[in-house]
Coordinates of all heavy atoms in Angstrom, one line a residue:
M499 N -159.3 -1.4 -39.6 CA -157.9 -1.3 -39.1 C -156.9 -1.2 -40.3 O -155.9 -0.5 -40.2 CB -157.6 -2.5 -38.3 CG -156.3 -2.6 -37.7 SD -156.1 -3.9 -36.5 CE -154.4 -4.3 -36.7
F500 N -157.1 -2.0 -41.3 CA -156.2 -2.0 -42.4 C -156.6 -1.1 -43.6 O -156.0 -1.2 -44.6 CB -156.0 -3.5 -42.9 CG -155.3 -4.3 -41.9 CD1 -156.0 -5.3 -41.3 CD2 -154.0 -4.1 -41.6 CE1 -155.4 -6.1 -40.4 CE2 -153.4 -4.9 -40.7 CZ -154.1 -5.9 -40.0
T501 N -157.7 -0.4 -43.4 CA -158.1 0.5 -44.5 C -157.3 1.9 -44.4 O -157.0 2.3 -43.3 CB -159.6 0.8 -44.3 OG1 -159.9 1.4 -43.1 CG2 -160.4 -0.4 -44.5
P502 N -157.1 2.5 -45.5 CA -156.3 3.8 -45.4 C -157.1 4.9 -44.8 O -158.4 4.9 -44.9 CB -156.0 4.1 -46.9 CG -157.0 3.3 -47.7 CD -157.4 2.1 -46.9
K503 N -156.5 5.7 -44.0 CA -157.1 6.8 -43.4 C -157.0 8.1 -44.3 O -155.9 8.7 -44.4 CB -156.5 7.1 -42.0 CG -156.4 5.9 -41.1 CD -157.8 5.6 -40.6 CE -157.7 4.5 -39.5 NZ -157.7 3.2 -40.0
I504 N -158.1 8.4 -44.9 CA -158.1 9.6 -45.9 C -158.7 10.7 -45.2 O -159.8 10.6 -44.6 CB -158.8 9.2 -47.2 CG1 -158.1 8.0 -47.8 CG2 -158.9 10.4 -48.1 CD1 -158.9 7.5 -49.0
P505 N -158.1 11.9 -45.1 CA -158.7 13.0 -44.5 C -160.0 13.5 -45.2 O -160.1 13.3 -46.4 CB -157.7 14.1 -44.5 CG -156.7 13.7 -45.6 CD -156.8 12.2 -45.7
P506 N -160.9 14.1 -44.5 CA -162.1 14.6 -45.2 C -161.7 15.7 -46.3 O -160.6 16.3 -46.1 CB -163.0 15.2 -44.1 CG -162.2 15.0 -42.9 CD -161.0 14.3 -43.1
P507 N -162.5 15.9 -47.3 CA -162.1 16.8 -48.4 C -161.8 18.3 -47.9 O -161.0 19.0 -48.5 CB -163.2 16.8 -49.3 CG -164.0 15.6 -49.0 CD -163.7 15.2 -47.6
D508 N -162.5 18.7 -46.8 CA -162.3 20.1 -46.4 C -160.9 20.4 -45.7 O -160.5 21.5 -45.7 CB -163.4 20.6 -45.6 CG -163.6 19.7 -44.3 OD1 -163.1 18.6 -44.3 OD2 -164.2 20.2 -43.4
T509 N -160.3 19.3 -45.2 CA -159.0 19.5 -44.5 C -157.8 19.0 -45.3 O -156.7 19.2 -44.9 CB -159.0 18.7 -43.1 OG1 -159.2 17.4 -43.4 CG2 -160.1 19.3 -42.2
A510 N -158.1 18.4 -46.4 CA -157.0 17.9 -47.2 C -156.2 19.1 -47.9 O -156.9 20.0 -48.3 CB -157.5 16.9 -48.3
P511 N -154.9 19.0 -47.9 CA -154.2 20.1 -48.6 C -154.4 20.1 -50.1 O -154.5 19.1 -50.7 CB -152.7 19.9 -48.2 CG -152.7 18.4 -47.9 CD -154.0 18.1 -47.4
T512 N -154.4 21.3 -50.6 CA -154.6 21.3 -52.1 C -153.2 21.1 -52.7 O -152.2 21.3 -52.1 CB -155.1 22.7 -52.5 OG1 -154.2 23.7 -52.1 CG2 -156.5 23.0 -51.9
P513 N -153.2 20.7 -54.0 CA -151.9 20.3 -54.6 C -150.9 21.5 -54.7 O -149.7 21.3 -54.6 CB -152.2 19.9 -56.0 CG -153.7 19.5 -55.9 CD -154.3 20.3 -54.9
G514 N -151.4 22.7 -54.7 CA -150.5 23.9 -54.8 C -149.9 24.3 -53.5 O -149.0 25.1 -53.4
T515 N -150.5 23.9 -52.4 CA -150.0 24.4 -51.0 C -149.3 23.2 -50.3 O -149.5 22.1 -50.6 CB -151.2 24.9 -50.2 OG1 -152.1 23.7 -50.0 CG2 -152.0 26.0 -50.9
S516 N -148.6 23.6 -49.3 CA -147.9 22.6 -48.5 C -148.2 22.9 -47.0 O -148.4 24.0 -46.6 CB -146.4 22.7 -48.8 OG -145.7 21.9 -47.9
L517 N -148.2 21.8 -46.2 CA -148.4 22.0 -44.8 C -147.1 22.5 -44.1 O -147.2 23.0 -43.0 CB -148.8 20.6 -44.2 CG -150.1 20.1 -44.6 CD1 -150.4 18.7 -44.0 CD2 -151.2 21.1 -44.3
V518 N -146.0 22.4 -44.7 CA -144.7 22.8 -44.2 C -144.4 24.3 -44.6 O -144.4 24.5 -45.8 CB -143.5 21.9 -44.6 CG1 -142.2 22.4 -44.0 CG2 -143.8 20.5 -44.1
Q519 N -144.3 25.2 -43.7 CA -144.0 26.5 -44.0 C -142.5 26.7 -44.3 O -141.7 26.2 -43.6 CB -144.4 27.5 -42.9 CG -145.9 27.4 -42.6 CD -146.8 27.8 -43.7 OE1 -146.4 28.7 -44.5 NE2 -147.9 27.2 -43.9
P520 N -142.1 27.5 -45.3 CA -140.7 27.7 -45.6 C -140.1 28.5 -44.5 O -140.7 29.4 -43.9 CB -140.7 28.4 -47.0 CG -142.1 29.1 -47.0 CD -143.0 28.2 -46.3
L521 N -138.8 28.2 -44.2 CA -138.1 29.0 -43.2 C -137.4 30.2 -43.9 O -136.7 30.1 -44.9 CB -137.0 28.1 -42.6 CG -137.5 26.8 -41.9 CD1 -136.3 26.0 -41.4 CD2 -138.3 27.2 -40.7
T522 N -137.7 31.4 -43.4 CA -137.2 32.6 -43.9 C -136.6 33.4 -42.8 O -137.0 33.3 -41.6 CB -138.2 33.4 -44.6 OG1 -139.3 33.7 -43.7 CG2 -138.8 32.7 -45.8
G523 N -135.6 34.2 -43.1 CA -135.0 35.1 -42.1 C -134.0 34.4 -41.2 O -133.6 35.0 -40.2
L524 N -133.6 33.2 -41.5 CA -132.6 32.5 -40.7 C -131.2 33.0 -41.1 O -130.8 33.0 -42.3 CB -132.7 31.0 -40.8 CG -133.9 30.4 -40.2 CD1 -133.8 28.9 -40.4 CD2 -134.0 30.7 -38.7
V525 N -130.4 33.4 -40.1 CA -129.0 33.8 -40.4 C -128.1 32.8 -39.6 O -128.2 32.6 -38.4 CB -128.7 35.2 -39.9 CG1 -127.3 35.6 -40.2 CG2 -129.6 36.1 -40.6
H526 N -127.2 32.1 -40.4 CA -126.3 31.1 -39.7 C -125.1 31.8 -39.2 O -124.5 32.7 -39.9 CB -125.9 30.1 -40.7 CG -127.1 29.2 -41.2 ND1 -127.6 28.3 -40.4 CD2 -127.8 29.2 -42.3 CE1 -128.6 27.7 -41.0 NE2 -128.7 28.2 -42.2
P527 N -124.6 31.5 -38.0 CA -123.4 32.1 -37.5 C -122.2 31.5 -38.3 O -122.2 30.4 -38.9 CB -123.3 31.7 -36.1 CG -124.2 30.4 -36.0 CD -125.2 30.6 -37.1
P528 N -121.1 32.2 -38.3 CA -119.9 31.7 -39.0 C -119.4 30.5 -38.3 O -119.6 30.2 -37.1 CB -118.9 32.9 -38.9 CG -119.3 33.7 -37.8 CD -120.8 33.6 -37.7
A529 N -118.7 29.6 -39.1 CA -118.2 28.4 -38.6 C -117.1 28.6 -37.5 O -117.1 27.8 -36.5 CB -117.6 27.5 -39.7
C530 N -116.3 29.6 -37.6 CA -115.3 29.9 -36.6 C -115.3 31.4 -36.3 O -115.7 32.2 -37.1 CB -113.9 29.4 -37.0 SG -113.2 30.2 -38.4
T531 N -114.7 31.7 -35.2 CA -114.7 33.1 -34.8 C -113.2 33.6 -34.7 O -113.0 34.5 -33.9 CB -115.4 33.3 -33.5 OG1 -114.8 32.5 -32.5 CG2 -116.9 33.0 -33.6
C532 N -112.3 33.1 -35.4 CA -110.9 33.4 -35.3 C -110.5 34.7 -36.1 O -109.4 35.2 -36.0 CB -110.0 32.3 -35.6 SG -110.3 31.6 -37.3
H533 N -111.4 35.2 -37.0 CA -111.2 36.4 -37.7 C -109.9 36.4 -38.5 O -109.1 37.4 -38.5 CB -111.2 37.6 -36.8 CG -112.5 37.7 -36.1 ND1 -113.7 37.9 -36.6 CD2 -112.7 37.6 -34.7 CE1 -114.7 37.9 -35.7 NE2 -114.1 37.7 -34.5
H534 N -109.5 35.3 -39.1 CA -108.3 35.3 -39.9 C -108.6 35.7 -41.4 O -109.8 35.6 -41.8 CB -107.7 33.9 -39.9 CG -108.5 32.8 -40.4 ND1 -109.6 33.0 -41.2 CD2 -108.4 31.4 -40.3 CE1 -110.1 31.8 -41.6 NE2 -109.4 30.9 -41.0
T535 N -107.6 36.1 -42.0 CA -107.8 36.4 -43.5 C -107.4 35.2 -44.3 O -106.5 34.5 -43.9 CB -106.9 37.6 -43.8 OG1 -105.5 37.3 -43.6 CG2 -107.2 38.9 -43.0
P536 N -108.0 35.1 -45.4 CA -107.7 33.9 -46.2 C -106.3 34.0 -46.7 O -105.8 35.1 -47.1 CB -108.7 34.0 -47.4 CG -109.3 35.3 -47.3 CD -109.1 35.8 -46.0
S537 N -105.6 32.9 -46.7 CA -104.2 32.9 -47.1 C -104.1 32.9 -48.7 O -105.0 32.6 -49.4 CB -103.5 31.6 -46.6 OG -104.1 30.5 -47.2
V538 N -103.0 33.4 -49.1 CA -102.7 33.5 -50.6 C -102.4 32.1 -51.1 O -101.6 31.4 -50.5 CB -101.6 34.5 -50.8 CG1 -101.3 34.6 -52.3 CG2 -101.9 35.9 -50.3
V539 N -103.0 31.8 -52.2 CA -102.7 30.5 -52.8 C -101.4 30.5 -53.5 O -101.1 31.4 -54.3 CB -103.8 30.1 -53.9 CG1 -103.5 28.8 -54.5 CG2 -105.2 30.2 -53.2
P540 N -100.5 29.5 -53.1 CA -99.1 29.5 -53.7 C -99.2 29.2 -55.2 O -100.1 28.5 -55.6 CB -98.4 28.5 -52.9 CG -99.4 27.6 -52.3 CD -100.6 28.4 -52.1
A541 N -98.2 29.7 -55.9 CA -98.1 29.4 -57.3 C -97.8 27.9 -57.5 O -97.0 27.3 -56.7 CB -97.1 30.2 -58.0
Q542 N -98.4 27.3 -58.5 CA -98.1 25.9 -58.7 C -96.8 25.7 -59.4 O -96.3 26.5 -60.2 CB -99.2 25.3 -59.6 CG -100.6 25.4 -59.0 CD -101.6 24.5 -59.7 OE1 -101.3 23.8 -60.7 NE2 -102.8 24.4 -59.2
A543 N -96.2 24.6 -59.1 CA -94.9 24.2 -59.6 C -95.0 23.9 -61.1 O -96.0 23.4 -61.5 CB -94.3 23.0 -58.9
P544 N -94.0 24.2 -61.9 CA -94.1 23.9 -63.3 C -94.1 22.4 -63.5 O -93.5 21.6 -62.8 CB -92.8 24.5 -63.9 CG -91.9 24.6 -62.7 CD -92.7 24.8 -61.5
V545 N -94.8 22.0 -64.5 CA -95.0 20.6 -64.9 C -93.7 20.1 -65.5 O -93.2 20.8 -66.4 CB -96.2 20.4 -65.8 CG1 -96.3 19.0 -66.2 CG2 -97.5 21.0 -65.2
P546 N -93.1 19.0 -65.0 CA -91.9 18.5 -65.6 C -92.1 18.0 -67.0 O -93.2 17.7 -67.4 CB -91.5 17.4 -64.7 CG -92.7 17.0 -64.0 CD -93.6 18.2 -63.9
A547 N -91.1 17.9 -67.7 CA -91.1 17.4 -69.1 C -91.5 15.9 -69.1 O -91.6 15.3 -68.1 CB -89.8 17.6 -69.8
A548 N -91.9 15.4 -70.2 CA -92.4 14.0 -70.4 C -91.3 13.1 -69.8 O -90.1 13.3 -70.1 CB -92.7 13.7 -71.8
P549 N -91.7 12.1 -69.1 CA -90.6 11.1 -68.5 C -90.0 10.3 -69.7 O -90.6 10.2 -70.7 CB -91.4 10.3 -67.6 CG -92.8 10.4 -68.0 CD -93.0 11.7 -68.6
V550 N -88.9 9.8 -69.4 CA -88.2 8.9 -70.3 C -89.0 7.7 -70.6 O -89.5 7.0 -69.6 CB -86.8 8.6 -69.8 CG1 -86.1 7.7 -70.8 CG2 -86.0 9.8 -69.5
A551 N -89.2 7.3 -71.8 CA -90.1 6.2 -72.2 C -89.3 4.9 -71.8 O -88.2 4.7 -72.1 CB -90.3 6.1 -73.7
R552 N -90.0 4.0 -71.0 CA -89.4 2.8 -70.6 C -90.6 1.8 -70.5 O -91.7 2.1 -70.3 CB -88.7 2.9 -69.3 CG -89.5 3.3 -68.2 CD -88.7 3.4 -66.9 NE -89.5 3.9 -65.8 CZ -89.1 4.6 -64.8 NH1 -87.9 5.0 -64.8 NH2 -89.9 5.0 -63.9
P553 N -90.3 0.5 -70.6 CA -91.4 -0.5 -70.5 C -92.1 -0.5 -69.1 O -91.4 -0.2 -68.1 CB -90.7 -1.8 -70.8 CG -89.3 -1.6 -70.5 CD -89.0 -0.1 -70.8
A554 N -93.3 -0.8 -69.1 CA -94.1 -0.7 -67.9 C -93.7 -1.8 -66.9 O -93.6 -1.6 -65.7 CB -95.6 -0.9 -68.2
V555 N -93.4 -3.0 -67.4 CA -93.0 -4.1 -66.6 C -91.6 -4.7 -67.1 O -91.5 -5.0 -68.3 CB -94.0 -5.2 -66.6 CG1 -93.6 -6.4 -65.7 CG2 -95.4 -4.7 -66.1
Q556 N -90.7 -4.8 -66.2 CA -89.4 -5.3 -66.6 C -89.3 -6.7 -65.9 O -89.2 -6.8 -64.7 CB -88.3 -4.4 -66.1 CG -88.3 -3.1 -66.8 CD -87.2 -2.2 -66.2 OE1 -86.5 -2.5 -65.3 NE2 -87.0 -1.0 -66.9
L557 N -89.3 -7.7 -66.8 CA -89.2 -9.1 -66.3 C -87.8 -9.6 -66.3 O -87.2 -9.7 -67.4 CB -90.1 -10.0 -67.1 CG -91.6 -9.8 -66.9 CD1 -92.4 -10.8 -67.8 CD2 -92.0 -10.1 -65.5
T558 N -87.2 -9.9 -65.2 CA -85.9 -10.5 -65.1 C -86.1 -12.0 -65.0 O -87.3 -12.5 -64.8 CB -85.2 -10.0 -63.8 OG1 -85.9 -10.4 -62.7 CG2 -85.0 -8.5 -63.9
P559 N -85.1 -12.8 -65.2 CA -85.3 -14.3 -65.1 C -85.8 -14.7 -63.7 O -86.7 -15.6 -63.6 CB -83.9 -14.8 -65.4 CG -83.2 -13.8 -66.2 CD -83.8 -12.5 -65.7
G560 N -85.4 -14.0 -62.7 CA -85.9 -14.4 -61.4 C -87.4 -14.0 -61.2 O -88.2 -14.8 -60.6
S561 N -87.8 -12.9 -61.7 CA -89.2 -12.5 -61.5 C -90.1 -13.3 -62.4 O -91.2 -13.7 -62.1 CB -89.4 -11.0 -61.8 OG -89.1 -10.7 -63.1
L562 N -89.6 -13.7 -63.6 CA -90.3 -14.6 -64.5 C -90.5 -16.0 -63.8 O -91.6 -16.6 -63.9 CB -89.6 -14.8 -65.8 CG -90.3 -15.5 -66.9 CD1 -91.6 -14.7 -67.3 CD2 -89.4 -15.6 -68.1
L563 N -89.5 -16.5 -63.1 CA -89.6 -17.7 -62.4 C -90.7 -17.6 -61.3 O -91.5 -18.5 -61.1 CB -88.3 -18.1 -61.8 CG -88.2 -19.5 -61.1 CD1 -88.5 -20.6 -62.2 CD2 -86.8 -19.7 -60.5
V564 N -90.7 -16.5 -60.6 CA -91.7 -16.3 -59.5 C -93.1 -16.2 -60.0 O -94.0 -16.8 -59.5 CB -91.3 -15.0 -58.7 CG1 -92.4 -14.6 -57.7 CG2 -90.0 -15.2 -57.9
V565 N -93.3 -15.5 -61.1 CA -94.6 -15.4 -61.8 C -95.1 -16.8 -62.2 O -96.2 -17.2 -62.0 CB -94.6 -14.4 -62.9 CG1 -95.8 -14.5 -63.8 CG2 -94.4 -13.0 -62.4
A566 N -94.2 -17.6 -62.8 CA -94.6 -18.9 -63.3 C -94.9 -19.8 -62.1 O -95.9 -20.6 -62.2 CB -93.4 -19.5 -64.1
A567 N -94.1 -19.8 -61.0 CA -94.4 -20.6 -59.9 C -95.7 -20.2 -59.2 O -96.5 -21.0 -58.8 CB -93.3 -20.5 -58.9
G568 N -96.0 -18.9 -59.1 CA -97.2 -18.4 -58.6 C -98.4 -18.8 -59.4 O -99.5 -19.2 -58.8
G569 N -98.3 -18.7 -60.7 CA -99.4 -19.2 -61.6 C -99.7 -20.6 -61.5 O -100.8 -21.1 -61.4
T570 N -98.6 -21.4 -61.4 CA -98.7 -22.9 -61.2 C -99.4 -23.2 -59.9 O -100.3 -24.1 -59.8 CB -97.4 -23.6 -61.3 OG1 -96.8 -23.2 -62.6 CG2 -97.5 -25.1 -61.2
A571 N -99.0 -22.5 -58.8 CA -99.6 -22.8 -57.5 C -101.1 -22.4 -57.5 O -101.9 -23.1 -57.0 CB -98.9 -22.0 -56.4
M572 N -101.4 -21.3 -58.2 CA -102.8 -20.9 -58.2 C -103.7 -21.9 -59.0 O -104.8 -22.2 -58.6 CB -102.9 -19.5 -58.8 CG -104.3 -18.9 -58.6 SD -104.4 -17.2 -59.0 CE -104.4 -17.2 -60.8
V573 N -103.1 -22.4 -60.1 CA -103.9 -23.4 -60.9 C -104.1 -24.7 -60.1 O -105.2 -25.3 -60.1 CB -103.1 -23.7 -62.2 CG1 -103.6 -24.9 -62.9 CG2 -103.3 -22.5 -63.2
L574 N -103.0 -25.1 -59.3 CA -103.2 -26.3 -58.5 C -104.2 -26.1 -57.4 O -105.0 -27.0 -57.1 CB -101.8 -26.7 -58.0 CG -100.8 -27.2 -59.0 CD1 -99.5 -27.5 -58.3 CD2 -101.3 -28.5 -59.6
V575 N -104.2 -25.0 -56.8 CA -105.2 -24.7 -55.7 C -106.6 -24.7 -56.2 O -107.5 -25.3 -55.7 CB -104.8 -23.4 -54.9 CG1 -105.9 -23.0 -54.0 CG2 -103.5 -23.6 -54.2
V576 N -106.8 -24.0 -57.3 CA -108.1 -23.9 -57.9 C -108.6 -25.3 -58.4 O -109.7 -25.7 -58.2 CB -108.2 -22.8 -59.0 CG1 -109.5 -22.9 -59.8 CG2 -108.0 -21.4 -58.5
G577 N -107.7 -26.0 -59.0 CA -108.0 -27.4 -59.5 C -108.4 -28.3 -58.3 O -109.3 -29.1 -58.4
T578 N -107.7 -28.2 -57.2 CA -108.0 -29.0 -56.0 C -109.3 -28.7 -55.5 O -110.1 -29.6 -55.1 CB -106.9 -28.8 -55.0 OG1 -105.6 -29.1 -55.5 CG2 -107.1 -29.6 -53.7
V579 N -109.7 -27.4 -55.4 CA -111.0 -27.0 -54.9 C -112.1 -27.5 -55.8 O -113.1 -28.0 -55.3 CB -111.0 -25.5 -54.7 CG1 -112.4 -25.0 -54.4 CG2 -110.1 -25.0 -53.6
L580 N -111.9 -27.3 -57.1 CA -113.0 -27.8 -58.0 C -113.1 -29.3 -58.0 O -114.3 -29.8 -58.0 CB -112.6 -27.3 -59.4 CG -112.7 -25.8 -59.7 CD1 -112.3 -25.5 -61.1 CD2 -114.1 -25.3 -59.4
V581 N -112.0 -30.0 -57.9 CA -112.1 -31.5 -57.8 C -112.8 -32.0 -56.5 O -113.6 -32.9 -56.5 CB -110.7 -32.2 -58.0 CG1 -110.8 -33.6 -57.6 CG2 -110.3 -32.0 -59.4
S582 N -112.5 -31.3 -55.4 CA -113.1 -31.7 -54.2 C -114.6 -31.4 -54.2 O -115.4 -32.1 -53.7 CB -112.4 -31.0 -53.0 OG -112.6 -29.6 -53.1
M583 N -115.0 -30.3 -54.8 CA -116.4 -30.0 -54.9 C -117.1 -31.0 -55.8 O -118.3 -31.4 -55.5 CB -116.6 -28.6 -55.5 CG -116.3 -27.4 -54.6 SD -116.2 -25.8 -55.3 CE -117.9 -25.6 -55.8
L584 N -116.5 -31.4 -56.9 CA -117.1 -32.4 -57.8 C -117.2 -33.8 -57.0 O -118.2 -34.5 -57.2 CB -116.2 -32.6 -59.0 CG -116.7 -33.6 -60.1 CD1 -118.0 -33.2 -60.6 CD2 -115.7 -33.7 -61.2
L585 N -116.2 -34.1 -56.2 CA -116.2 -35.3 -55.5 C -117.3 -35.3 -54.4 O -118.1 -36.3 -54.2 CB -114.9 -35.6 -54.8 CG -114.7 -36.9 -54.0 CD1 -114.9 -38.1 -55.0 CD2 -113.3 -36.9 -53.4
A586 N -117.5 -34.2 -53.8 CA -118.6 -34.1 -52.8 C -120.0 -34.2 -53.4 O -120.9 -34.9 -52.9 CB -118.5 -32.7 -52.1
T587 N -120.1 -33.7 -54.6 CA -121.4 -33.8 -55.4 C -121.6 -35.3 -55.8 O -122.7 -35.8 -55.7 CB -121.4 -32.9 -56.6 OG1 -121.1 -31.6 -56.2 CG2 -122.7 -33.0 -57.4
A588 N -120.6 -35.9 -56.2 CA -120.7 -37.3 -56.6 C -121.1 -38.2 -55.4 O -121.9 -39.1 -55.5 CB -119.4 -37.8 -57.3
I589 N -120.4 -38.0 -54.3 CA -120.7 -38.8 -53.1 C -122.2 -38.5 -52.6 O -122.9 -39.5 -52.3 CB -119.7 -38.5 -52.0 CG1 -118.3 -39.0 -52.4 CG2 -120.2 -39.0 -50.6 CD1 -117.2 -38.6 -51.4
T590 N -122.6 -37.3 -52.7 CA -124.0 -37.0 -52.3 C -125.0 -37.7 -53.3 O -126.0 -38.2 -52.8 CB -124.2 -35.5 -52.3 OG1 -123.3 -34.9 -51.4 CG2 -125.6 -35.1 -51.9
A591 N -124.7 -37.6 -54.5 CA -125.6 -38.2 -55.5 C -125.7 -39.7 -55.3 O -126.7 -40.4 -55.4 CB -125.1 -37.9 -56.9
A592 N -124.5 -40.4 -55.0 CA -124.5 -41.8 -54.8 C -125.3 -42.2 -53.6 O -126.1 -43.2 -53.5 CB -123.1 -42.3 -54.7
S593 N -125.2 -41.4 -52.5 CA -125.9 -41.8 -51.3 C -127.4 -41.5 -51.5 O -128.2 -42.3 -50.9 CB -125.4 -40.9 -50.1 OG -125.6 -39.6 -50.3
V594 N -127.8 -40.5 -52.2 CA -129.2 -40.3 -52.5 C -129.7 -41.5 -53.3 O -130.9 -42.0 -53.1 CB -129.4 -39.0 -53.2 CG1 -130.9 -38.9 -53.7 CG2 -129.2 -37.8 -52.2
A595 N -129.0 -42.0 -54.3 CA -129.4 -43.1 -55.1 C -129.5 -44.3 -54.3 O -130.5 -45.1 -54.5 CB -128.4 -43.3 -56.2
V596 N -128.6 -44.6 -53.4 CA -128.8 -45.8 -52.5 C -130.0 -45.7 -51.6 O -130.7 -46.7 -51.4 CB -127.5 -46.0 -51.6 CG1 -127.7 -47.0 -50.5 CG2 -126.3 -46.3 -52.5
C597 N -130.3 -44.5 -51.1 CA -131.5 -44.3 -50.3 C -132.7 -44.5 -51.1 O -133.7 -45.1 -50.6 CB -131.5 -42.9 -49.7 SG -130.3 -42.7 -48.4
A598 N -132.7 -44.1 -52.3 CA -133.9 -44.3 -53.2 C -134.1 -45.8 -53.5 O -135.3 -46.2 -53.5 CB -133.7 -43.5 -54.5
V599 N -133.0 -46.5 -53.7 CA -133.2 -48.0 -54.0 C -133.7 -48.7 -52.7 O -134.6 -49.5 -52.8 CB -131.8 -48.5 -54.5 CG1 -131.9 -50.1 -54.5 CG2 -131.5 -48.0 -55.8
V600 N -133.2 -48.3 -51.6 CA -133.7 -49.0 -50.4 C -135.1 -48.6 -50.1 O -135.9 -49.5 -49.8 CB -132.8 -48.6 -49.2 CG1 -133.4 -49.0 -47.8 CG2 -131.4 -49.1 -49.3
L601 N -135.5 -47.4 -50.3 CA -136.9 -47.0 -50.0 C -137.8 -47.7 -51.1 O -138.9 -48.2 -50.7 CB -137.1 -45.5 -50.1 CG -136.6 -44.7 -48.9 CD1 -136.7 -43.2 -49.2 CD2 -137.5 -45.1 -47.7
R602 N -137.4 -47.8 -52.3 CA -138.2 -48.5 -53.3 C -138.4 -49.9 -53.0 O -139.5 -50.5 -53.1 CB -137.5 -48.3 -54.7 CG -138.2 -48.9 -55.8 CD -137.5 -48.6 -57.1 NE -138.1 -49.5 -58.2 CZ -137.5 -49.6 -59.3 NH1 -136.4 -49.1 -59.6 NH2 -138.1 -50.4 -60.2
S603 N -137.3 -50.6 -52.5 CA -137.5 -52.0 -52.2 C -138.4 -52.2 -51.0 O -139.1 -53.2 -50.9 CB -136.1 -52.7 -52.0 OG -135.5 -52.2 -50.8
L604 N -138.3 -51.3 -50.0 CA -139.2 -51.4 -48.9 C -140.6 -51.1 -49.2 O -141.5 -51.8 -48.6 CB -138.7 -50.4 -47.8 CG -137.4 -50.8 -47.0 CD1 -137.0 -49.7 -46.1 CD2 -137.6 -52.1 -46.3
L605 N -140.9 -50.2 -50.1 CA -142.3 -49.9 -50.4 C -142.9 -50.8 -51.4 O -144.1 -51.0 -51.4 CB -142.3 -48.4 -51.0 CG -142.0 -47.4 -49.9 CD1 -142.0 -46.0 -50.6 CD2 -143.0 -47.4 -48.8
N606 N -142.1 -51.4 -52.3 CA -142.7 -52.4 -53.3 C -143.1 -53.7 -52.7 O -144.1 -54.3 -53.2 CB -141.7 -52.6 -54.4 CG -141.7 -51.4 -55.4 OD1 -142.7 -50.6 -55.4 ND2 -140.7 -51.3 -56.2
R607 N -142.4 -54.2 -51.7 CA -142.7 -55.5 -51.2 C -142.9 -55.5 -49.7 O -142.0 -55.9 -48.9 CB -141.5 -56.5 -51.5 CG -141.4 -56.8 -53.0 CD -140.3 -57.7 -53.2 NE -139.1 -57.0 -53.7 CZ -137.9 -57.4 -53.7 NH1 -137.6 -58.6 -53.2 NH2 -136.9 -56.7 -54.2
P608 N -144.0 -54.9 -49.2 CA -144.2 -54.8 -47.7 C -144.5 -56.2 -47.1 O -144.2 -56.4 -45.9 CB -145.3 -53.8 -47.6 CG -146.1 -53.9 -48.8 CD -145.1 -54.3 -49.9
N609 N -145.0 -57.1 -47.9 CA -145.4 -58.4 -47.3 C -144.3 -59.4 -47.3 O -144.5 -60.5 -46.7 CB -146.7 -59.0 -48.0 CG -147.9 -58.1 -47.8 OD1 -148.0 -57.4 -46.8 ND2 -148.8 -58.1 -48.8
N610 N -143.2 -59.2 -47.9 CA -142.1 -60.2 -48.1 C -141.1 -60.1 -47.0 O -140.1 -60.8 -47.0 CB -141.4 -60.0 -49.4 CG -142.3 -60.3 -50.6 OD1 -143.3 -61.0 -50.4 ND2 -141.9 -59.9 -51.8
R611 N -141.3 -59.3 -45.9 CA -140.3 -59.2 -44.9 C -140.5 -60.3 -43.9 O -141.3 -60.8 -43.4 CB -140.4 -57.9 -44.2 CG -139.9 -56.8 -45.0 CD -139.8 -55.5 -44.2 NE -141.1 -54.8 -44.5 CZ -141.7 -54.0 -43.6 NH1 -141.2 -53.9 -42.4 NH2 -142.8 -53.4 -43.8

């Protein structure tokens, strides 16, 4: 059942031949039948001269204040998430340690109960 099924040597295809015959003589119909003529490509518009050099970002005092407030808020949010993850890890470790101490005391002195 799980052995490979190999054809006998007389029916196996030779490396130079293929079982799939190539398709020849197929003519595809056109995609549409509207018989239109291709339109003339319009001339491209001239490329404008180099733009006036100006700084990429213009920081006004208001936008600088918004960027600083956004950065501060992002640092506070990321810090809160990291501290809560650390606290969850610490609580889990403490509870596992308490369980280990209780199991150890139960297994070491079974006759003292």
Side-chain angles (χ1 to χ4, degrees):
M499 181 173 152
F500 293 110
T501 59
K503 306 289 189 271
I504 300 174
D508 58 341
T509 61
T512 60
T515 63
S516 173
L517 295 177
V518 179
Q519 298 298 325
L521 298 175
T522 56
L524 291 179
V525 178
H526 294 286
C530 67
T531 58
C532 56
H533 304 293
H534 61 17
T535 58
S537 62
V538 177
V539 178
Q542 294 196 0
V545 178
V550 178
R552 61 179 178 215
V555 177
Q556 296 178 352
L557 290 177
T558 62
S561 64
L562 189 60
L563 185 63
V564 168
V565 168
T570 303
M572 191 167 78
V573 165
L574 289 176
V575 168
V576 170
T578 302
V579 169
L580 291 178
V581 167
S582 65
M583 289 171 63
L584 181 64
L585 184 62
T587 304
I589 291 172
T590 304
S593 64
V594 168
V596 168
C597 289
V599 168
V600 169
L601 282 175
R602 181 178 168 192
S603 70
L604 287 175
L605 293 175
N606 281 343
R607 296 182 254 161
N609 295 333
N610 292 342
R611 286 187 270 145

